[in-house]
Amino acid sequence: MSETLPVTVIGGYLGAGKTTLLNQLLRNADGLKLAVLVNEFGALAIDEDLIEAQSDDLISIAGGCVCCSFGSDLTAALLDMGARNPRPDHVIIEASGVAMPAAIAANVGLQAGFSLAGIVVLADSETIRQQARDDYLGDTVIRQLKEADLVVQTKPSLVSSEEVQTVAAFLETTAPQAAHIVAEQGQIPRDVLLGVESRKVPVSAPHADGDYESIVFTPRQTDAVALAQTLATGGYGLVRAKGFLRDTAGKTQLIQLVGKRAEVTEFAHEMPSELVCIGLKAQLDKAGLEALFK
Amino acid sequence: MSDITIYAAKKIITMNPSRPVASHVAVRDGRILGAGTLEELATWGAHTLDERFADKVLMPGFVEGHAHTMEGSLWSKVYCGWFDRADPDGKTWDGLKSLDDVIARLKAAADKLSDDQAPVSGWQLDPIYMNNSRVSRADLDRVSESRPVGVLHASGHIMNVNTRALELAGLLKKGVNHPGIPLGDDGLPTGELRGPDAMTPVGLHVGFERNLLDADEDGLQNFAKLCVRSGTTTITDLASRMDPDTVEMMLRVTGAPGFPACIVPLRFFMGLPAAELIEEVKALKERSTERLRMGRIKVVADGSIQGFSARLRWPGYHNGAENGLWYIAPDHLAELYERALEAGLQIHTHTNGDQATQLALDKLAPALQKHPNPDHRFTLQHCQLADAAQFKQAAKLGMCVNLFANHHFYWGDEHYTLTVGPERATRMNACRTALDAGLPLAVHSDAPITPLAPLFTAWGAVTRITASGRVQGEEERITVNEALHAITLGAAYTLHMDGEIGSIETGKRADFAVLEADPTEVEPEALKDVPVWGTVQGGRIFAAADL
């Protein structure tokens, strides 16, 4: 289980801010080796200063990251990434503007050695409501939003603060299954976007990053599935959570949560019980969580 | 001066309106000097009179405006279709009427293989005709338990595999969560794989390579044989990814002296940003040869109607299925149209659903205002559900349509009862309405989806008969002459090639379909049964019997 390569799918229509977000991620990879898969390079302009070398279908980026165009064969590109040496720590797939991210995620699930870390769908504050009404695009962008674990509302500075709220309400209504955040210029902490990277980030270092807060708990031995469900749907304001605990049978279980979806998988090795919870400062129910883990 | 050959024929249907019928045609340097009487043609000077076609009927070589070279490649696999179908070597394979028959034919193929691990792959299975019965991995395990077995459906969108194939792909396990992979009562995949995403990872283990879209050498040779057997002398490959190796191979194979057809491959739009795609296709255009015409682009806007992935306008699918999928973002389509018009390149756009057709119309109009090009001939491919208003708009914009005229025969009943309902099924592939709107019309087979056989496609447009024997949309039938035009000059026009092929007249390439009967004299219902002797392509003679 620990060996699977986590994959995040990033979707949203053209102009939603995927390029900005990916550049931001690559710029702040901070030792994490990211592999970004895009349909075609034309759709993703990597900031020039990040590029170390470029070939037909692979761009090498400072810090050990790569960006690869997969044309129409995502499966092959994914397998290539899994076989790369050194192996990437995280794969990010940029879905094309009209692709259904859940279909891509389902394909990731078919490949041995990969695991889905979440579906992130971007929505442009300025255009998303208009797109949702468009004859051609409406049902497509709405389906994309309904498939998201995390909805990122982008470009808030281009509209009034009232409009930011109106759009936020629209997104909440359209995609009630997802966690929602607002971000300017792709500025979202990496842990929020990709999930907590247990292999790279010292899990026990709680941190506050701008609007976000992260708290670490030590769960007692408990029913892992029930706890995960409570965390996902109990209204604690979590965007992400990840960590280990002992289930009632004493086995180590890995909990991974994004938005309102949580996954529990049995872990082969014994790990110390520790769970990182991340949410927006304004929304995180710290008291509730503390009571839950008391 | 080069030699002149004058061919005598029982009848020559020229498709040249100035001289529709002739008895002789004179050929020099692979081109037509003229069609007329022997006396008229003899005025060109010394010649050889060749009477081998004295009892044959000549037509312009047929032009297939929408096919895939994959048709040639698939014949290396086991034919499992419901209908009889002729292979590149001329053998007609009986249609298989039960799953037991399918299994028996696959097993016979498996037993011939020496390696007991080697995969067995079949194609063109169509359970629609077998009461829509579901095929399971247990069924295909009866072919073999030791070797992987996979059968592709006629739609191209579903594949059935056996247990061994699932095992090799690592999918014989519980908990597989994929919309295209149904699970059985035991929690394991049933062996049915729906959609390319589900098919690809398993297909690799059953002999279906990942890139079936691009021609391989044997497939291209087989494809050419099928052209000769069907009277086709110019044919599209719609579309190809055209990676450098494929282009080199196609140049070499089509350039060989005995290669009997002109191939027109269109570059698939996916995989390159618009600006780079245009540059690549411009460069490909420069490398075109007499028998490999590159320099066109194929865009796919939506999916298929029977797969419920086509984009439909209100009221959507008759059975209430969710609307289909866009395969290109509307803004991307607009950008491609603009850039192609600016560069003087042609785009053919696959639009099955009427909303996809509308999108193409809506995006082309403003692109044309930016880059006016009165002779662009952008072509709507399939365009199956377009109504009269859309055809008129397409005509005003200077577009062409290439309709899927034999679709009714294979799936018309299904469209009537399930996908779009009676009224829209009746107007599907509305050839009459398209012609009345003034649109240049071609009709196509989309081989391998349906067999490469222009006379059969023309028959579909003339009769509109479905597999159950109903006439579906009698108002949309066209005449035999109109249908013959659609498979010659009509299709040539959609490729900007009507000045060099499509009719038998002075200056054009000496491309003939050599027929054993006169298609304008037989009953329209018998059009599909007119036997094809072979072809003449660029003045070179190809008898089907000698392939």
Side-chain angles (χ1 to χ4, degrees), chain A:
Chain A
M1 173 63 221
S2 66
E3 295 309 313
T4 62
L5 185 45
V7 180
T8 298
V9 180
I10 297 189
Y13 192 63
L14 311 180
K18 289 178 286 186
T19 299
T20 307
L21 180 71
L22 287 169
N23 271 301
Q24 196 63 28
L25 263 176
L26 291 168
R27 190 169 292 283
N28 301 300
D30 203 17
L32 201 64
K33 291 191 288 296
L34 301 176
V36 178
L37 303 184
V38 298
N39 239 217
E40 55 196 50
F41 285 150
L44 174 70
I46 302 273
D47 292 345
E48 291 234 351
D49 63 305
L50 293 175
I51 298 176
E52 277 187 346
Q54 179 164 7
S55 68
D56 270 357
D57 55 3
L58 194 82
I59 297 177
S60 302
I61 291 159
C65 297
V66 291
C67 181
C68 165
S69 70
F70 59 83
S72 38
D73 198 347
L74 175 61
T75 304
L78 202 56
L79 296 178
D80 284 352
M81 286 303 119
R84 269 185 83 78
N85 191 12
R87 193 165 176 250
D89 298 309
H90 201 113
V91 175
I92 299 163
I93 299 172
E94 189 218 18
S96 85
V98 284
M100 294 300 156
I104 295 173
N107 292 336
V108 169
L110 289 186
Q111 309 303 326
F114 296 87
S115 59
L116 182 69
I119 296 174
V120 180
V121 173
L122 276 56
D124 180 342
S125 298
E126 206 175 24
T127 59
I128 185 69
R129 286 200 302 151
Q130 187 195 338
Q131 285 164 358
R133 284 193 303 267
D134 184 275
D135 272 354
Y136 293 123
L137 277 178
D139 63 316
T140 299
V141 297
I142 287 169
R143 272 158 81 176
Q144 289 173 341
L145 288 167
K146 286 186 182 301
E147 291 177 357
D149 296 313
L150 178 65
V151 170
V152 180
Q153 184 182 340
T154 59
K155 308 183 186 177
S157 64
L158 295 184
V159 297
S160 68
S161 54
E162 293 78 39
E163 183 64 10
V164 172
Q165 293 308 315
T166 310
V167 171
F170 163 76
L171 293 173
E172 295 272 0
T173 314
T174 307
Q177 83 293 346
H180 295 254
I181 58 176
V182 181
E184 188 67 45
Q185 291 296 321
Q187 288 179 6
I188 309 162
R190 195 184 63 202
D191 287 358
V192 171
L193 200 63
L194 303 184
V196 182
E197 296 285 344
S198 60
R199 278 175 299 152
K200 281 286 168 179
V201 180
V203 175
S204 48
H207 61 287
D209 192 342
D211 298 335
Y212 296 90
E213 182 152 3
S214 149
I215 322 173
V216 180
F217 293 102
T218 310
R220 284 161 304 171
Q221 189 166 3
T222 184
D223 178 340
V225 173
L227 175 66
Q229 195 57 27
T230 305
L231 287 170
T233 58
Y236 294 101
L238 291 174
V239 178
R240 287 275 184 185
K242 182 171 180 175
F244 299 99
L245 62 101
R246 297 277 186 305
D247 65 10
T248 44
K251 287 182 177 154
T252 299
Q253 300 284 351
L254 167 67
I255 290 185
Q256 294 179 97
L257 177 147
V258 49
K260 289 167 190 138
R261 185 170 66 84
E263 258 179 34
V264 177
T265 35
E266 193 174 319
F267 205 69
H269 313 286
E270 205 165 290
M271 298 292 284
S273 292
E274 203 165 45
L275 189 71
V276 192
C277 296
I278 305 177
L280 284 162
K281 275 180 194 165
Q283 290 172 4
L284 197 61
D285 179 6
K286 285 170 72 173
L289 285 169
E290 274 157 15
L292 182 67
F293 285 102
K294 206 165 176 180

Side-chain angles (χ1 to χ4, degrees), chain B residues 323-345:
Chain B
N323 207 350
L325 298 170
W326 291 115
Y327 290 163
I328 185 168
D331 298 86
H332 186 185
L333 182 67
E335 185 188 358
L336 277 174
Y337 280 179
E338 277 185 29
R339 287 185 184 273
L341 284 171
E342 187 181 15
L345 296 177

Side-chain angles (χ1 to χ4, degrees), chain B residues 329-527:
Chain B
D331 298 86
H332 186 185
L333 182 67
E335 185 188 358
L336 277 174
Y337 280 179
E338 277 185 29
R339 287 185 184 273
L341 284 171
E342 187 181 15
L345 296 177
Q346 194 198 24
I347 294 185
H348 286 231
T349 309
H350 156 128
T351 67
N352 261 318
D354 52 356
Q355 193 191 31
T357 295
Q358 195 60 46
L359 177 73
L361 297 170
D362 285 358
K363 295 303 179 191
L364 184 60
L368 272 168
Q369 284 184 321
K370 275 192 193 167
H371 302 288
N373 179 345
D375 197 25
H376 59 81
R377 303 190 200 183
F378 276 29
T379 299
L380 294 165
Q381 291 283 354
H382 303 324
C383 197
Q384 297 204 74
L385 278 174
D387 64 12
Q390 292 181 320
F391 282 130
K392 285 176 185 159
Q393 198 183 349
K396 282 284 183 200
L397 291 172
M399 299 188 90
C400 312
V401 284
N402 191 343
L403 298 179
F404 202 163
N406 67 17
H407 200 86
H408 304 273
F409 179 70
Y410 294 102
W411 292 286
D413 295 315
E414 188 89 350
H415 291 314
Y416 192 90
T417 54
L418 190 65
T419 64
V420 294
E423 183 178 329
R424 285 177 295 173
T426 302
R427 77 143 194 256
M428 276 178 81
N429 295 294
C431 293
R432 176 81 273 141
T433 301
L435 284 176
D436 290 350
L439 270 169
L441 172 75
V443 294
H444 66 266
S445 67
D446 199 14
I449 304 300
T450 77
L452 170 55
L455 285 173
F456 174 73
T457 308
W459 169 87
V462 168
T463 65
R464 293 183 67 98
I465 292 173
T466 70
S468 69
R470 290 185 306 118
V471 173
Q472 187 159 297
E474 52 190 301
E475 305 300 331
E476 292 297 345
R477 292 180 297 187
I478 57 175
T479 67
V480 169
N481 277 331
E482 287 168 330
L484 293 178
H485 187 274
I487 58 172
T488 53
L489 273 176
Y493 186 89
T494 68
L495 301 170
H496 280 109
M497 290 175 76
D498 52 317
E500 57 177 305
I501 56 170
S503 61
I504 299 178
E505 59 184 298
T506 303
K508 290 200 172 180
R509 201 165 67 198
D511 285 5
F512 311 135
V514 184
L515 309 175
E516 301 279 10
D518 180 351
T520 62
E521 292 293 329
V522 302
E523 288 299 314
E525 288 71 27
L527 189 56

Side-chain angles (χ1 to χ4, degrees), chain B residues 28-61:
Chain B
R28 190 178 75 199
D29 295 331
R31 300 174 72 179
I32 297 165
L33 272 176
T37 63
L38 180 58
E39 294 70 31
E40 288 172 324
L41 298 175
T43 59
W44 284 99
H47 61 266
T48 308
L49 180 64
D50 188 325
E51 297 199 297
R52 76 178 80 199
F53 300 139
D55 63 342
K56 314 287 183 216
V57 175
L58 299 188
M59 276 195 65

